[in-house]
């Protein structure tokens, strides 16, 4: 017990020293001796690339972190050249975040085993349908006691109902998992325009480490001890964004869009409280960046809104899959998938009538329900 307490005290001391350096100017440490925490990112899409730019910068700022940040990249060819080769030679993800430079300590790696080798802090930012097949190799390569963070905006389900992505990670790795969600449109982050995000944590020490890894001159990180609320906000707001996109595509104005956002937020809160009544979801979480702020920016500037607007403009003559392929350049649409998964759960529980907005978004997206239902359904 004495040894364990001493170890905890050493860890607290290390974190305090790290925090004291948080105000150091960008690049202050340069490429000095490596720290004890080695960061890796699983995912290299639009948002993952925006996040890893910040991880790369902060790895050189704080002594607690190893200099090198490895990013797993699903390899693809760009004009005959491997994307990882382009990233490592130009410090830029030319396909998914063109024009935004990484620091040279960010290393793109197409091999998941070597990318995760020895990592003590692993961040996940990829479409959640691709996660499970990768887990065994990541688990085998990571350091013992690895700390996890999910920036994956979606949910899963099984025969019992909802399964949170962070819970999948906790179970598979037998590890603590924090969650990052916020008003973070990646293309805005690429210009270092100021924004905020929220990290939900269970273990305060791990929450502080991840805050240190992401807090930056352009990204203000708030922390809350509410992983469930933060994660559900990040997933459910994409359904609302689909509805907001329908409004835009139908040519309706700001009053209507504001009403849809309010209705959607109300169902988000209801869903969280109904399905996780004893998990300590705080009302204040909905006022953090992961809540109302993320909802607003996604309903005005995200990919889900963009594709839903195109779907409505085409009067449903093009499928969402076709629109995704045309508009997103290889990125994946999450809002419709989440709407489908949520609807599956609501049907399973006989609760579609309790969530008329979520149900209407699903039915417009996947069934014969007309677009006009988005404003004609009694909410």
């Amino acid at each position: 017990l004495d040894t364990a307490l001493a170890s905890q005290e050493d860890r607290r001391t290390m974190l305090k020293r790290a925090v004291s350096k948080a105000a150091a100017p960008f690049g202050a440490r340069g490429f000095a001796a490596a720290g004890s925490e080695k960061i890796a990112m699983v995912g290299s899409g639009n948002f993952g690339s925006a996040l890893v730019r910040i991880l790369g910068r902060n790895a050189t700022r704080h002594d607690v972190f190893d200099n090198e940040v490895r990013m797993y990249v699903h390899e693809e060819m760009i004009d005959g050249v491997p994307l990882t080769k382009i990233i490592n030679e130009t410090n830029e993800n030319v396909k998914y975040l063109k024009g935004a430079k990484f620091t040279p300590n960010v290393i793109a790696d197409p091999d998941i085993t070597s990318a995760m080798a020895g990592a003590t802090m692993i961040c996940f930012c990829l479409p959640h349908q691709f996660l499970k097949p990768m887990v065994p190799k990541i688990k085998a390569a990571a350091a013992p006691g690895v700390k996890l963070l999910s920036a994956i905006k979606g949910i899963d389900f099984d025969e019992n109902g909802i399964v949170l992505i962070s819970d999948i990670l906790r179970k598979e790795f037998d590890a603590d998992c924090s969650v990052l969600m916020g008003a973070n449109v990646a293309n805005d982050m690429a210009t270092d325009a100021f924004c905020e995000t929220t990290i939900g944590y269970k273990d305060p020490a791990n929450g502080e480490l991840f805050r240190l890894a992401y807090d930056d001159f352009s990204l203000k990180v708030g922390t809350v001890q509410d992983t469930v609320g933060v994660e559900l906000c990040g997933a459910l707001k994409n359904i609302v964004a689909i509805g907001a996109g329908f409004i835009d595509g139908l040519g309706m104005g700001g009053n209507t869009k504001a009403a849809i956002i309010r209705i959607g937020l109300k169902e988000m809160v209801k869903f969280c409280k109904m399905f996780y009544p004893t998990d300590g979801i705080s009302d204040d979480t909905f006022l953090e960046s992961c809540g109302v702020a993320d909802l607003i920016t996604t309903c005005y500037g995200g990919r889900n809104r963009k594709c839903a607007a195109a779907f409505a403009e085409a009067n449903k003559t093009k499928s969402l899959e076709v629109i995704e392929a045309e508009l997103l350049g290889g990125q994946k649409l999450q809002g419709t998938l989440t709407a489908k998964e949520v609807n599956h759960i609501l049907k399973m529980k006989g609760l579609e009538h309790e969530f008329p907005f979520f149900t209407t978004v699903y039915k417009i997206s996947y069934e014969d329900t007309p677009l006009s239902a988005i404003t004609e359904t009694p909410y």
Side-chain angles (χ1 to χ4, degrees):
L1 179 60
D2 289 343
T3 301
L5 290 172
S7 177
Q8 289 179 11
E9 186 60 35
D10 289 343
R11 191 178 186 191
R12 292 192 191 98
T13 301
M14 178 184 71
L15 284 171
K16 287 177 181 178
R17 288 173 179 168
V19 172
S20 71
K21 298 177 184 293
F26 166 62
R29 183 162 68 90
F31 292 93
S36 59
E37 298 289 349
K38 184 173 178 58
I39 305 172
M41 170 67 78
V42 181
S44 57
N46 193 231
F47 187 39
S49 294
L51 290 176
V52 89
R53 289 182 73 239
I54 293 171
L55 291 174
R57 292 199 295 233
N58 281 336
T60 66
R61 288 181 63 203
H62 304 302
D63 290 342
V64 69
F65 300 124
D66 187 272
N67 288 319
E68 186 178 86
V69 175
R70 286 199 168 257
M71 173 176 64
Y72 168 68
V73 177
H74 178 70
E75 192 68 282
E76 53 189 301
M77 304 302 287
I78 307 295
D79 297 328
V81 182
L83 179 57
T84 53
K85 178 178 173 64
I86 296 171
I87 293 173
N88 290 330
E89 290 182 352
T90 67
N91 304 126
E92 180 182 343
N93 188 336
V94 296
K95 179 166 185 180
Y96 294 110
L97 201 66
K98 190 174 180 63
K101 294 292 185 180
F102 300 129
T103 46
N105 60 320
V106 172
I107 308 298
D109 193 333
D111 181 86
I112 190 67
T113 299
S114 64
M116 299 298 114
T120 64
M121 298 172 66
I122 300 180
C123 307
F124 293 84
C125 189
L126 70 163
H128 72 273
Q129 59 267 35
F130 302 142
L131 174 63
K132 288 182 182 178
M134 304 170 68
V135 165
K137 288 185 177 180
I138 298 172
K139 185 176 179 180
V146 64
K147 297 166 282 291
L148 310 176
L149 178 140
S150 173
I152 299 173
K153 298 187 176 183
I155 59 173
D156 205 348
F157 61 89
D158 61 18
E159 65 277 3
N160 298 315
I162 306 168
V163 179
L164 297 178
I165 305 302
S166 63
D167 283 338
I168 293 173
L169 291 168
R170 291 183 190 103
K171 180 179 178 180
E172 293 288 346
F173 287 85
D174 190 25
D176 180 65
C177 185
S178 301
V179 177
L180 182 150
M181 305 284 162
N184 310 134
V185 173
N187 290 336
D188 291 347
M189 294 176 69
T191 66
D192 290 325
F194 173 75
C195 64
E196 297 179 309
T197 200
T198 308
I199 289 177
Y201 64 86
K202 288 183 178 291
D203 183 306
N206 292 344
E208 175 58 23
L209 266 176
F210 280 113
R211 187 202 66 80
L212 196 66
Y214 282 105
D215 195 70
D216 181 67
F217 68 90
S218 66
L219 180 65
K220 177 63 177 177
V221 178
T223 58
V224 293
Q225 198 162 15
D226 179 9
T227 61
V228 175
V230 173
E231 184 166 2
L232 284 172
C233 281
L236 296 173
K237 55 90 182 178
N238 284 330
I239 304 177
V240 187
I242 297 293
F246 293 159
I247 296 299
D248 287 346
L250 291 168
M252 298 180 180
N255 291 346
T256 309
K257 192 170 181 178
I260 289 300
I261 293 172
R262 185 201 69 80
I263 292 163
L265 177 60
K266 189 174 179 180
E267 289 200 7
M268 286 172 58
V269 175
K270 182 177 181 179
F271 188 95
C272 291
K273 296 298 181 74
M274 181 178 290
F275 284 91
Y276 288 88
T278 62
D279 285 79
I281 295 176
S282 170
D283 289 341
D284 290 342
T285 298
F286 298 102
L287 300 179
E288 295 288 339
S289 181
C290 63
V292 66
D294 194 9
L295 179 62
I296 291 169
T297 197
T298 305
C299 288
Y300 279 89
R303 73 183 75 162
N304 294 285
R305 185 220 64 84
K306 179 180 180 180
C307 288
F311 182 71
E313 288 168 358
N315 197 27
K316 299 183 63 170
T317 59
K318 289 184 178 180
S319 71
L320 284 159
E321 290 77 14
V322 168
I323 290 170
E324 176 187 81
E326 289 179 349
L327 297 184
L328 298 188
Q331 297 177 63
K332 293 299 179 183
L333 191 59
Q334 291 294 303
T336 49
L337 179 60
T338 303
K340 182 184 289 187
E341 290 165 340
V342 165
N343 187 258
H344 177 89
I345 293 159
L346 295 179
K347 280 182 178 175
M348 181 192 304
K349 304 290 186 182
L351 292 171
E352 283 184 297
H353 66 285
E354 293 280 356
F355 296 88
F357 175 76
F358 287 172
T359 300
T360 299
V361 169
Y362 167 77
K363 289 184 174 181
I364 292 172
S365 300
Y366 291 105
E367 297 180 359
D368 294 330
T369 299
L371 285 156
S372 59
I374 195 66
T375 55
E376 293 172 357
T377 299
Y379 297 124

